[in-house]
């Protein structure tokens, strides 16, 4: 992603919020640039992305629906829009700044294991409460909270197809080939499922805010990759990526609602296959190897 630098940011300031006088860079990430801005005594978060990649409108629709359902720990969207920088189109989202530190920072700094467990269980509870709004189909949602794929099988088959396309011309290990074959068999034998819900879709520690004083989750951020899916999806994502850093059993203890353990495992495997395909598309064989190793460890 082309970094537009301070010139672009200042054009946003002058166009969107001319009364903002203070700003600081929070993250120049892989997909977006994140800034904290201040207008008088109010702090807000401004994110900028390439317009062709932006899902800020979809995110705003998801947040609006969830807040209407009583989910009160998501940031309120103040404004979204588009701007040009040279010959490149960008989108921006301006939202309220929620208090707290990210979960990864909290866990690194908090030495009391009881408080660590408490906040992870609270995250499980907050995630359960987030899985409240019905949606349609499977995959990334549009502004109507509907997804492209009609069934879970269609969604899973698209991921297997993506991996097969991206892995053409490379030697796939026997372990990975076996995982792929069993994933295909699972698709063929899967049950019909209904009643998908809005899921976060990108639940990672940096997207979770924690109040260090109370050891409770104060916010969940970045819902631009929200999906319509079975509720096990977010839990499966966490199990694939983060169970080594954050005890999965503590997250599940906080979640409390019953889940389909077999489906959760299947979705964790599908998440790993999708990640492996993505890194092959990016020609990043180191991260592809890490995704495969996680899959093999998950399969044990």
């Amino acid at each position: 992603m082309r970094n537009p630098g301070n010139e672009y940011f200042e054009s946003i300031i002058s166009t969107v919020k001319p009364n903002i006088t203070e700003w600081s860079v929070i993250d120049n990430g892989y997909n977006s640039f994140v800034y904290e801005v201040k207008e008088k005594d109010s702090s807000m978060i401004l994110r900028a992305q390439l317009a062709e990649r932006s899902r800020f409108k979809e995110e705003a629709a998801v947040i609006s629906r969830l807040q209407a359902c009583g989910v009160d720990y998501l940031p309120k969207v103040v404004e979204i829009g588009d701007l040009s920088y040279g010959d490149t189109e960008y989108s921006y989202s301006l939202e309220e700044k929620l208090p707290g530190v990210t979960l990864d920072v909290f866990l690194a700094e908090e030495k009391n294991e009881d408080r660590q467990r408490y906040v992870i269980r609270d995250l499980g509870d907050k995630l359960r409460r987030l899985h409240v709004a019905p949606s349609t189909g499977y995959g990334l949602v549009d502004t109507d909270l509907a997804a492209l794929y009609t069934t879970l099988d269609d969604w899973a088959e698209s991921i297997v197809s993506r991996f097969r396309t991206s892995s053409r011309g490379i030697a796939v290990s026997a372990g990975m080939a076996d995982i792929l074959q069993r994933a295909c068999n699972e698709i063929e034998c899967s049950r019909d499922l209904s009643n998908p819900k809005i899921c976060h879709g990108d639940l990672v520690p940096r997207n979770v805010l924690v109040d260090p004083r109370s050891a409770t989750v104060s916010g969940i951020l970045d819902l631009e990759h929200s999906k319509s899916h079975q509720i096990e999806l977010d839990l499966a994502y966490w199990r694939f990526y983060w169970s080594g850093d954050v005890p999965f059993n503590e997250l599940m203890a906080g979640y409390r609602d019953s889940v389909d353990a077999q489906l959760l495992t299947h979705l964790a495997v599908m998440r790993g296959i999708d990640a492996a395909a993505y890194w092959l598309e990016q020609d990043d064989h180191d991260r592809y190897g890490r995704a495969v190793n996680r899959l093999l460890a998950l399969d044990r």
Side-chain angles (χ1 to χ4, degrees):
M1 178 174 173
R2 179 186 176 195
N3 189 337
N6 295 347
E7 179 182 349
Y8 168 66
F9 181 75
E10 289 169 0
S11 75
I12 291 179
I13 294 297
S14 61
T15 303
V16 180
K17 290 288 180 181
N19 294 328
I20 291 177
T21 57
E22 296 183 45
W23 60 274
S24 59
V25 177
I26 295 178
D27 181 35
N28 282 347
Y30 188 80
N31 291 314
S32 62
F33 305 102
V34 185
Y35 306 89
E36 178 178 354
V37 298
K38 292 185 178 180
E39 183 179 20
K40 298 181 180 179
D41 296 327
S42 176
S43 292
M44 291 174 285
I45 299 297
L46 187 145
R47 292 180 292 152
Q49 289 184 343
L50 288 171
E52 63 193 47
R53 296 182 183 175
S54 172
R55 290 184 48 81
F56 291 144
K57 292 178 182 178
E58 291 83 353
E59 178 184 44
V62 166
I63 290 176
S64 176
R65 175 67 66 85
L66 291 175
Q67 288 176 335
C69 292
V71 182
D72 56 1
Y73 42 87
L74 308 176
K76 293 182 175 64
V77 178
V78 177
E79 187 173 350
I80 54 177
D82 300 298
L83 285 174
S84 298
Y85 173 70
D87 58 356
T88 306
E89 296 294 322
Y90 290 89
S91 296
Y92 68 86
S93 174
L94 189 66
E95 61 192 42
E96 71 169 327
K97 181 179 184 295
L98 297 178
V101 300
T102 57
L103 177 60
D104 51 341
V105 171
F106 174 82
L107 293 176
E109 296 179 350
E110 178 57 63
K111 305 306 179 186
N112 186 310
E113 293 184 358
D114 287 338
R115 282 170 56 82
Q116 290 182 353
R117 285 193 292 268
Y118 187 85
V119 78
I120 295 167
R121 290 191 177 205
D122 189 51
L123 173 59
D125 180 62
K126 294 291 198 304
L127 186 59
R128 175 186 60 82
R129 290 173 52 200
L130 185 140
H131 292 153
V132 66
S135 50
T136 305
Y138 290 85
L140 288 168
V141 298
D142 58 22
T143 53
D144 294 322
L145 308 185
L148 174 63
Y149 300 103
T150 304
T151 68
L152 177 61
D153 290 357
D154 293 340
W155 170 82
E157 287 172 358
S158 74
I159 290 176
V160 171
S161 176
R162 180 185 187 186
F163 179 82
R164 285 175 170 160
T165 299
S166 64
S167 61
R168 287 174 183 164
I170 71 164
V172 175
S173 69
M176 184 63 193
D178 181 57
I179 287 172
L180 193 67
Q181 183 57 54
R182 283 188 283 127
C184 292
N185 294 340
E186 182 75 20
I187 292 171
E188 293 173 359
C189 298
S190 63
R191 305 176 302 280
D192 289 333
L193 297 169
S194 59
N195 301 321
K197 301 289 179 64
I198 293 175
C199 298
H200 186 284
D202 190 25
L203 192 68
V204 299
R206 70 175 180 273
N207 287 340
V208 178
L209 292 178
V210 176
D211 179 352
R213 294 169 298 179
S214 62
T216 58
V217 171
S218 56
I220 293 181
L221 311 174
D222 294 356
L223 284 90
E224 62 194 277
H225 298 292
S226 292
K227 295 176 177 63
S228 173
H229 221 287
Q230 299 298 308
I231 59 173
E232 287 84 358
L233 180 75
D234 282 333
L235 298 166
Y237 187 104
W238 197 276
R239 181 180 174 189
F240 176 74
Y241 272 113
W242 307 107
S243 58
D245 302 312
V246 179
F248 188 68
N249 62 321
E250 298 292 348
L251 185 73
M252 292 302 298
Y255 193 83
R256 295 198 304 278
D257 278 5
S258 61
V259 299
D260 185 326
Q262 183 179 359
L263 177 61
L264 196 157
T265 299
H266 175 53
L267 293 180
V269 170
M270 296 310 302
R271 182 65 187 97
I273 294 172
D274 196 40
Y278 174 80
W279 292 121
L280 283 177
E281 291 168 353
Q282 303 303 310
D283 200 28
D284 191 330
H285 289 265
D286 180 54
R287 288 183 175 176
Y288 164 72
R290 283 185 240 167
V292 171
N293 288 337
R294 284 196 185 101
L295 272 169
L296 294 173
L298 184 70
D299 197 48
R300 286 201 292 268

